[in-house]
Amino acid sequence: MRKGILTLLVGVLVVSSGCTGLITGETVAFDSAPATVSDSALDETGYEQSMADEQTIERTVTVAGQERTIRVTNHVRQYQRGIDLGPVGEVNAGRFIVFSTPSASVAGQTLNPAASWSNERLVEEVASRNDQINDVQFERNRTVEALGESREVAVFSGTTTIEGQSVDVLIHLTSFEHEGDVVVAVAVYPERLDDSEGPRVDTLLGGLSHSGN
């Protein structure tokens, strides 16, 4: 489940951004600041960091009718928690992924798809590009405090396969701009554990840290 979600985030959230280099034809580099979860939130929830990655991607964009090359550096952090799923034993079925990528516009043109997409659009991309989460359906919207503001979190249901067993899961997804970056957080866990895992997701979101650029 991890590889599919991470590949998807990189694929659909690659940011285009711009400055004078886009006008002169130079390759322009943009870096995001990592978004992480605080140690206190991890201690409270039992989640542990399992991956930290920096990904640099070059992309050609069109600005004012001219093609230009940009170089974007994104950051991904993944956290996980072992959950007892009965017959299959304890597996890392609770996952929380936070992705940060630069945000900008040129002459009023928004070049970052993640900056304008709704949570529903993002999860549609997840469903269409990730064959490990199937039958995704919208359930509800809710609000959670994260990085000093109330953020809308969309909750979806779906199915995945864990250790050869089909498992109903819930997906919590939020995306927002913060200090020059787009921050996207995705949590996935077995639906039957919503009463215990839902509050953990709230704690992880509340424990987000991001300094911006």
Side-chain angles (χ1 to χ4, degrees):
M1 183 163 62
R2 179 190 70 179
K3 183 177 179 181
I5 295 175
L6 293 184
T7 301
L8 166 78
L9 285 174
V10 174
V12 304
L13 301 179
V14 171
V15 173
S16 299
S17 188
C19 66
T20 56
L22 293 179
I23 299 173
T24 63
E26 302 170 1
T27 296
V28 183
F30 298 92
D31 294 336
S32 63
T36 60
V37 177
S38 68
D39 289 342
S40 61
L42 295 177
D43 290 341
E44 183 176 343
T45 59
Y47 275 71
E48 297 180 348
Q49 181 172 296
S50 58
M51 189 274 291
D53 196 15
E54 178 181 295
Q55 301 157 339
T56 300
I57 302 169
E58 286 194 0
R59 182 178 181 182
T60 300
V61 299
T62 301
V63 177
Q66 300 295 316
E67 289 191 346
R68 297 292 183 262
T69 300
I70 62 169
R71 184 179 299 116
V72 176
T73 299
N74 308 310
H75 292 88
V76 183
R77 298 291 185 271
Q78 177 176 273
Y79 306 87
Q80 62 188 28
R81 190 177 87 84
I83 296 176
D84 187 353
L85 295 182
V88 301
E90 183 172 300
V91 295
N92 292 319
R95 299 188 185 276
F96 184 85
I97 300 164
V98 59
F99 182 94
S100 58
T101 187
S103 173
S105 62
V106 176
Q109 177 184 351
T110 299
L111 299 177
N112 178 358
S116 58
W117 285 0
S118 66
N119 290 336
E120 287 77 8
R121 173 68 184 277
L122 283 169
V123 87
E124 284 175 4
E125 294 292 329
V126 171
S128 66
R129 302 190 188 199
N130 186 347
D131 59 5
Q132 293 180 318
I133 300 179
N134 303 307
D135 304 321
V136 176
Q137 300 290 329
F138 174 76
E139 296 294 333
R140 64 187 184 276
N141 284 321
R142 62 195 190 88
T143 57
V144 176
E145 288 292 319
L147 291 172
E149 294 186 25
S150 293
R151 311 292 183 180
E152 182 178 87
V153 179
V155 182
F156 302 83
S157 60
T159 60
T160 191
T161 300
I162 300 176
E163 300 295 327
Q165 301 291 318
S166 179
V167 178
D168 294 331
V169 296
L170 289 180
I171 306 159
H172 295 243
L173 186 148
T174 186
S175 173
F176 53 87
E177 294 191 59
H178 183 260
E179 296 189 4
D181 290 340
V182 174
V183 176
V184 180
V186 181
V188 183
Y189 58 81
E191 184 174 11
R192 66 182 178 86
L193 300 177
D194 188 36
D195 288 346
S196 59
E197 291 304 308
R200 285 187 171 92
V201 171
D202 290 353
T203 300
L204 294 170
L205 289 169
L208 285 178
S209 175
H210 175 254
S211 61
N213 290 293

